[in-house]
Amino acid sequence: LAKTTQPISMDSYEGQEVNITCSHNNIATNDYITWYQQFPSQGPRFIIQGYKTKVTNEVASLFIPADRKSSTLSLPRVSLSDTAVYYCLVGVGNNNDMRFGAGTRLTVKP
Amino acid sequence: GAVVSQHPSRVICKSGTSVKIECRSLDFQATTMFWYRQFPKKSLMLMATSNEGSKATYEQGVEKDKFLINHASLTLSTLTVTSAHPEDSSFYICSANSPGQGANNEQFFGPGTRLTVL
């Protein structure tokens, strides 16, 4: 089971790019890396998923180095509404992989 | 697509009573559902994993007789908090997944249920 480590909190300002890195040193060959976003008193929602190199969608990019022991979620030009907790999860189609780490609390300031 | 609902969204009960929380996948059949508990300013704590038609698998430290999980169909799982006490007050969240829905092992989360035990 790949354990993840993220910074507890980050601050940013509107319009800046935010990069949140997650360490997962014992990631397995079949594991995917998935990021979720959670607002207060809501369930998390999927942001992005990747296996290697770079993945981009309409809200974020995910950078994964060749050794896959870490990953970086990149949020371009954040706004106040991006203030949330961001979690990275590592696993594959194994139910036991759905354990969340501490997450990163991102605060975007005006 | 891939919407998960929870009912109720908020419940207040007296100590000693039992509370049932429903989790439904509205537009897909969920092969697996997960139940989490979240305390203020804390991360989600996985309580149990349930597959339709079989007994739930509980995480270490979670009392299966206190937190009864039933996954009777591919669209419904229920969590019953039996003999609730104030320390059971928390935010309970379910999630569901199914092969072919979303990304690899993507979880679709419900909106959560706020339980307050007086």
Side-chain angles (χ1 to χ4, degrees):
Chain A
L1 183 62
K3 180 181 177 181
T4 60
T5 303
Q6 304 173 231
I8 294 298
S9 64
M10 294 181 69
D11 289 343
S12 182
Y13 291 92
E14 283 189 291
Q16 290 187 333
E17 177 184 81
V18 172
N19 296 308
I20 306 174
T21 297
C22 179
S23 297
H24 27 80
N25 291 318
N26 58 340
I27 188 170
T29 302
N30 294 333
D31 286 344
Y32 283 76
I33 301 158
T34 310
W35 285 78
Y36 290 87
Q37 175 192 56
Q38 186 185 27
F39 297 113
S41 297
Q42 295 185 25
R45 68 169 187 168
F46 174 89
I47 301 176
I48 197 167
Q49 183 182 81
Y51 183 80
K52 62 180 179 181
T53 63
K54 176 184 175 182
V55 179
T56 297
N57 62 21
E58 62 276 9
V59 297
S61 294
L62 180 59
F63 298 91
I64 304 169
D67 66 5
R68 305 201 325 122
K69 293 183 182 298
S70 66
S71 59
T72 299
L73 174 72
S74 181
L75 305 173
R77 298 179 298 281
V78 294
S79 63
L80 296 177
S81 62
D82 292 316
T83 294
V85 179
Y86 294 82
Y87 298 95
C88 77
L89 270 73
V90 175
V92 70
N94 181 338
N95 298 334
N96 292 328
D97 294 331
M98 291 309 302
R99 299 184 183 96
F100 281 72
T104 298
R105 186 173 298 276
L106 172 66
T107 302
V108 180
K109 303 175 182 178
Chain B
V3 177
V4 174
S5 70
Q6 280 183 241
H7 178 81
S9 59
R10 183 183 299 268
V11 57
I12 301 173
C13 68
K14 293 182 179 180
S15 184
T17 61
S18 294
V19 175
K20 179 184 286 188
I21 302 171
E22 293 185 349
C23 176
R24 293 181 184 272
S25 56
L26 298 184
D27 51 3
F28 69 102
Q29 293 187 323
T31 51
T32 306
M33 287 184 167
F34 303 84
W35 286 96
Y36 297 85
R37 181 167 54 178
Q38 186 174 36
F39 294 107
K41 304 291 186 181
K42 300 294 185 182
S43 182
L44 288 80
M45 185 188 80
L46 180 64
M47 300 175 68
T49 302
S50 73
N51 293 289
E52 183 264 340
S54 62
K55 291 184 178 180
T57 301
Y58 290 81
E59 292 294 293
Q60 191 173 7
V62 177
E63 300 175 58
K64 63 180 181 180
D65 294 329
K66 179 167 183 64
F67 299 100
L68 301 177
I69 293 173
N70 184 283
H71 193 163
S73 78
L74 286 172
T75 60
L76 173 64
S77 177
T78 60
L79 167 67
T80 301
V81 183
T82 62
S83 187
H85 291 284
E87 57 266 30
D88 298 322
S89 297
S90 188
F91 191 54
Y92 291 86
I93 308 171
C94 72
S95 71
N97 72 351
S98 183
Q101 287 286 340
N104 179 279
N105 200 28
E106 179 179 345
Q107 296 299 309
F108 300 95
F109 287 85
T113 297
R114 176 78 57 193
L115 170 64
T116 303
V117 184
L118 302 177

